[in-house]
Short mmCIF file of all heavy atoms in Angstrom, two decimals:
data_model
loop_
_atom_site.label_atom_id
_atom_site.label_comp_id
_atom_site.label_asym_id
_atom_site.label_seq_id
_atom_site.Cartn_x
_atom_site.Cartn_y
_atom_site.Cartn_z
N THR A 22 -5.71 -10.74 5.21
CA THR A 22 -5.95 -10.63 3.80
C THR A 22 -7.40 -9.99 3.47
O THR A 22 -7.77 -10.02 2.39
CB THR A 22 -5.88 -12.03 3.10
OG1 THR A 22 -6.78 -12.83 3.73
CG2 THR A 22 -4.50 -12.67 3.44
N SER A 23 -7.96 -9.30 4.38
CA SER A 23 -9.20 -8.84 4.22
C SER A 23 -9.25 -7.54 3.38
O SER A 23 -10.30 -7.22 2.61
CB SER A 23 -9.95 -8.62 5.50
OG SER A 23 -9.18 -7.66 6.32
N THR A 24 -8.27 -6.73 3.57
CA THR A 24 -8.20 -5.50 2.90
C THR A 24 -6.80 -5.15 2.35
O THR A 24 -5.75 -5.68 2.93
CB THR A 24 -8.52 -4.30 3.77
OG1 THR A 24 -7.70 -4.18 4.92
CG2 THR A 24 -9.97 -4.39 4.28
N ALA A 25 -6.70 -4.14 1.34
CA ALA A 25 -5.41 -3.79 0.98
C ALA A 25 -4.90 -2.75 1.73
O ALA A 25 -5.70 -1.77 2.07
CB ALA A 25 -5.47 -3.41 -0.57
N PRO A 26 -3.55 -2.63 1.97
CA PRO A 26 -2.99 -1.56 2.63
C PRO A 26 -3.21 -0.22 1.88
O PRO A 26 -3.07 -0.20 0.66
CB PRO A 26 -1.58 -1.89 2.93
CG PRO A 26 -1.22 -2.91 1.64
CD PRO A 26 -2.53 -3.67 1.49
N SER A 27 -3.19 0.92 2.67
CA SER A 27 -3.34 2.17 1.97
C SER A 27 -2.07 2.85 1.52
O SER A 27 -1.99 3.69 0.73
CB SER A 27 -4.13 3.14 2.90
OG SER A 27 -3.41 3.39 4.06
N THR A 28 -0.93 2.22 2.17
CA THR A 28 0.29 2.91 1.81
C THR A 28 1.21 1.67 1.61
O THR A 28 1.26 0.69 2.25
CB THR A 28 0.87 3.79 2.78
OG1 THR A 28 1.07 3.24 4.08
CG2 THR A 28 -0.02 5.08 3.00
N GLY A 29 2.45 1.96 0.79
CA GLY A 29 3.40 0.95 0.66
C GLY A 29 4.23 0.98 1.87
O GLY A 29 4.58 1.98 2.34
N SER A 30 4.70 -0.17 2.33
CA SER A 30 5.71 -0.14 3.46
C SER A 30 6.45 -1.53 3.45
O SER A 30 6.00 -2.41 3.01
CB SER A 30 4.78 -0.05 4.92
OG SER A 30 4.03 -1.21 4.96
N SER A 31 7.58 -1.36 4.09
CA SER A 31 8.38 -2.55 4.33
C SER A 31 8.75 -2.56 5.80
O SER A 31 9.29 -1.67 6.29
CB SER A 31 9.62 -2.53 3.53
OG SER A 31 10.44 -3.58 3.79
N THR A 32 8.41 -3.60 6.52
CA THR A 32 8.62 -3.55 7.94
C THR A 32 9.32 -4.98 8.40
O THR A 32 9.02 -5.98 7.98
CB THR A 32 7.25 -3.64 8.82
OG1 THR A 32 6.55 -2.46 8.28
CG2 THR A 32 7.55 -3.57 10.25
N VAL A 33 10.41 -4.73 9.08
CA VAL A 33 11.30 -5.78 9.45
C VAL A 33 11.21 -5.65 10.95
O VAL A 33 11.69 -4.65 11.55
CB VAL A 33 12.72 -5.73 8.94
CG1 VAL A 33 13.46 -6.93 9.54
CG2 VAL A 33 12.72 -5.84 7.43
N THR A 34 10.70 -6.69 11.66
CA THR A 34 10.88 -6.70 13.16
C THR A 34 11.53 -7.78 13.71
O THR A 34 11.77 -8.84 13.08
CB THR A 34 9.31 -6.78 13.74
OG1 THR A 34 8.82 -8.06 13.20
CG2 THR A 34 8.47 -5.74 13.13
N THR A 35 12.15 -7.56 14.84
CA THR A 35 13.05 -8.45 15.56
C THR A 35 12.42 -9.03 16.72
O THR A 35 13.05 -9.60 17.63
CB THR A 35 14.43 -7.98 15.79
OG1 THR A 35 14.20 -6.72 16.54
CG2 THR A 35 15.04 -7.65 14.32
N ASP A 36 11.02 -8.64 17.05
CA ASP A 36 10.40 -8.95 18.38
C ASP A 36 9.39 -10.19 18.12
O ASP A 36 8.49 -10.23 18.90
CB ASP A 36 9.86 -7.80 18.92
CG ASP A 36 8.82 -7.05 18.01
OD1 ASP A 36 8.53 -7.59 17.00
OD2 ASP A 36 8.17 -6.17 18.56
N GLY A 37 9.44 -10.86 17.03
CA GLY A 37 8.66 -11.87 16.89
C GLY A 37 7.45 -11.71 15.95
O GLY A 37 6.66 -12.60 15.41
N ALA A 38 7.20 -10.37 15.56
CA ALA A 38 6.22 -10.08 14.67
C ALA A 38 6.54 -10.27 13.25
O ALA A 38 7.76 -10.37 12.86
CB ALA A 38 5.91 -8.55 14.82
N ALA A 39 5.67 -10.54 12.40
CA ALA A 39 5.86 -10.74 10.93
C ALA A 39 6.29 -9.58 10.34
O ALA A 39 5.91 -8.45 10.49
CB ALA A 39 4.64 -11.46 10.32
N ALA A 40 7.18 -9.80 9.31
CA ALA A 40 7.65 -8.60 8.50
C ALA A 40 6.82 -8.59 7.20
O ALA A 40 6.13 -9.62 6.83
CB ALA A 40 9.10 -8.84 8.12
N SER A 41 6.77 -7.58 6.56
CA SER A 41 6.01 -7.49 5.26
C SER A 41 6.73 -6.81 4.30
O SER A 41 7.72 -5.86 4.51
CB SER A 41 4.73 -6.72 5.54
OG SER A 41 4.85 -5.36 5.94
N THR A 42 6.55 -6.98 2.98
CA THR A 42 7.24 -6.37 1.84
C THR A 42 6.16 -5.72 0.95
O THR A 42 5.27 -6.55 0.58
CB THR A 42 8.15 -7.28 1.07
OG1 THR A 42 7.36 -8.24 0.53
CG2 THR A 42 9.04 -7.79 2.17
N THR A 43 6.41 -4.60 0.38
CA THR A 43 5.67 -4.04 -0.73
C THR A 43 6.56 -3.15 -1.46
O THR A 43 7.34 -2.39 -0.88
CB THR A 43 4.42 -3.40 -0.21
OG1 THR A 43 3.51 -3.08 -1.49
CG2 THR A 43 4.67 -2.25 0.63
N ALA A 44 6.46 -3.08 -2.69
CA ALA A 44 7.39 -2.20 -3.62
C ALA A 44 6.54 -1.18 -4.13
O ALA A 44 6.98 -0.20 -4.70
CB ALA A 44 7.96 -3.02 -4.76
N CYS A 45 5.25 -1.34 -3.94
CA CYS A 45 4.37 -0.29 -4.57
C CYS A 45 3.51 0.30 -3.54
O CYS A 45 2.77 -0.37 -2.80
CB CYS A 45 3.48 -1.09 -5.47
SG CYS A 45 3.05 -0.33 -6.91
N GLY A 46 3.31 1.61 -3.44
CA GLY A 46 2.62 2.29 -2.46
C GLY A 46 1.36 2.84 -3.06
O GLY A 46 1.06 2.95 -4.21
N ALA A 47 0.55 3.45 -2.16
CA ALA A 47 -0.77 3.91 -2.51
C ALA A 47 -0.93 5.28 -1.81
O ALA A 47 -0.46 5.58 -0.82
CB ALA A 47 -1.88 3.06 -1.97
N ASN A 48 -1.67 6.22 -2.60
CA ASN A 48 -1.82 7.55 -2.03
C ASN A 48 -3.37 7.84 -2.29
O ASN A 48 -3.82 8.31 -3.32
CB ASN A 48 -1.05 8.57 -2.67
CG ASN A 48 -1.22 9.92 -2.14
OD1 ASN A 48 -2.16 10.16 -1.42
ND2 ASN A 48 -0.25 10.88 -2.35
N GLU A 49 -4.09 7.46 -1.24
CA GLU A 49 -5.57 7.45 -1.22
C GLU A 49 -6.15 9.06 -1.49
O GLU A 49 -7.24 9.28 -1.78
CB GLU A 49 -6.22 6.90 -0.10
CG GLU A 49 -5.85 5.38 -0.03
CD GLU A 49 -6.53 4.57 -1.16
OE1 GLU A 49 -7.34 5.05 -1.91
OE2 GLU A 49 -6.11 3.41 -1.23
N SER A 50 -5.23 9.91 -1.21
CA SER A 50 -5.59 11.32 -1.17
C SER A 50 -5.68 11.91 -2.52
O SER A 50 -6.30 12.99 -2.77
CB SER A 50 -4.91 12.29 -0.26
OG SER A 50 -3.55 12.35 -0.84
N VAL A 51 -5.07 11.24 -3.60
CA VAL A 51 -4.91 11.70 -4.76
C VAL A 51 -6.21 11.35 -5.64
O VAL A 51 -6.43 10.09 -5.71
CB VAL A 51 -3.60 11.13 -5.59
CG1 VAL A 51 -3.66 11.72 -7.04
CG2 VAL A 51 -2.42 11.62 -4.78
N PRO A 52 -6.97 12.27 -6.11
CA PRO A 52 -8.16 11.89 -6.91
C PRO A 52 -7.92 11.12 -8.10
O PRO A 52 -6.82 11.27 -8.74
CB PRO A 52 -8.85 13.30 -7.18
CG PRO A 52 -7.71 14.23 -7.21
CD PRO A 52 -6.74 13.67 -6.24
N ALA A 53 -8.82 10.26 -8.55
CA ALA A 53 -8.66 9.42 -9.72
C ALA A 53 -8.85 10.37 -10.96
O ALA A 53 -9.72 11.14 -10.99
CB ALA A 53 -9.82 8.28 -9.69
N ALA A 54 -7.99 10.02 -11.89
CA ALA A 54 -8.12 10.73 -13.07
C ALA A 54 -9.28 10.20 -13.89
O ALA A 54 -9.51 9.13 -13.88
CB ALA A 54 -6.81 10.65 -13.94
N PRO A 55 -9.90 11.03 -14.65
CA PRO A 55 -10.96 10.65 -15.52
C PRO A 55 -10.48 9.68 -16.63
O PRO A 55 -9.33 9.79 -17.09
CB PRO A 55 -11.53 11.89 -16.33
CG PRO A 55 -10.48 12.84 -16.22
CD PRO A 55 -9.58 12.55 -14.93
N ALA A 56 -11.35 8.56 -16.91
CA ALA A 56 -10.96 7.59 -17.74
C ALA A 56 -10.75 8.20 -19.10
O ALA A 56 -11.66 9.09 -19.64
CB ALA A 56 -11.92 6.51 -17.85
N ALA A 57 -9.90 7.81 -19.94
CA ALA A 57 -9.66 8.34 -21.36
C ALA A 57 -10.44 7.60 -22.15
O ALA A 57 -10.81 6.50 -21.98
CB ALA A 57 -8.03 8.30 -21.73
N PRO A 58 -10.88 8.15 -23.46
CA PRO A 58 -11.68 7.42 -24.32
C PRO A 58 -10.76 6.00 -24.82
O PRO A 58 -9.64 6.06 -24.97
CB PRO A 58 -11.76 8.44 -25.57
CG PRO A 58 -11.69 9.79 -24.97
CD PRO A 58 -10.54 9.49 -23.77
N ALA A 59 -11.62 5.02 -25.07
CA ALA A 59 -11.02 3.87 -25.44
C ALA A 59 -10.26 4.02 -26.88
O ALA A 59 -10.94 4.58 -27.91
CB ALA A 59 -12.00 2.67 -25.63
#
């Protein structure tokens, strides 16, 4: 729980590893848009 994942992923494993779910992905290469005026 130390950091957020950089991309959305869903993993189901059958070899004893934990699975994970996320519906929402991330794209760190896309620059942040400038904040609009309030």
Side-chain angles (χ1 to χ4, degrees):
T22 59
S23 60
T24 59
S27 60
T28 59
S30 65
S31 174
T32 304
V33 180
T34 60
T35 56
D36 59 358
S41 65
T42 65
T43 181
C45 214
N48 188 341
E49 298 294 349
S50 65
V51 178

